[in-house]
Amino acid sequence: MDDTDMFTTGILLAAGNGSRMNTDKLLIPFGDSTVFTSALQPLLESKLISEVVVVVNPSFDLALDDPKCTVVVNHGYQEGMASSLRVGLMAATAGAEAYVIALGDMPRINRAVVDHCVSMFQASEKRILVPTFNAQHGHPVVFDRKCKRDLMKLTGDVGARRIIKENPDLVHFLPVDDDGVLYDVDTPADLAR
């Protein structure tokens, strides 16, 4: 897997309803931007990501004007993260060779981490790459297209954790020195951190 021209789709899962924040957490100010924009920008900026699919819920009201970006609505978002993942995979270009799965409530992931994950995945013989910080699994997670069928079968709100847990031999766990791969915004306390 050393093809640097690999067609890679970034999928940003941003359809959650932010129930623990009592507001749309994605639009909360974060730095000079919002939580959502901070999570999206590194995917758009990465030269190693060919396209970005953003999965939102029906109430999401924000226009995105970037030729690299497609916004799709998950009308079944209440089912959980797995439904958003399926919607994102279905919207991806059919010939995509890899998928970079990122979360809309993780605003501290930066382009350097995204690029590092994608380039190390391309150099790896594994089908899945998971960044880790202090041995904790983080995001974004990169999946080979051979994982698509299994990803499409997922249900509930656990994302792809089950596939990673059940197939450790397929996973390249990549230590990174940036705790942004673990930082998500679920509660006001998370934001205060």
Side-chain angles (χ1 to χ4, degrees), residues 36 42 61 65 71 92 104 108 114 121 161 164 169 176-177 187:
F36 171 77
D61 186 25
D65 186 24
V71 178
R108 284 190 44 222
V114 171
F121 173 80
R161 263 185 242 137
I164 294 164
D169 52 317
V176 298
D177 60 0
T187 65

Side-chain angles (χ1 to χ4, degrees), residues 78-97:
Q78 286 145 324
E79 180 201 317
M81 194 183 299
S83 67
S84 290
L85 189 50
R86 287 195 304 273
V87 169
L89 289 166
M90 287 188 287
T93 294
E97 297 165 85

Side-chain angles (χ1 to χ4, degrees), residues 3 7 9 14 22 27 31 35 61 89-91 101 108 118 128 134 140 142 144-145 147 149 171 176 180 187 191:
D3 180 8
F7 192 99
T9 300
N22 299 317
L27 301 181
V35 169
D61 186 25
L89 289 166
M90 287 188 287
I101 312 299
R108 284 190 44 222
V118 176
I128 304 168
N134 286 345
V142 188
D144 184 87
R145 65 179 166 199
C147 298
R149 184 179 296 144
V171 184
V176 298
T187 65
L191 203 56

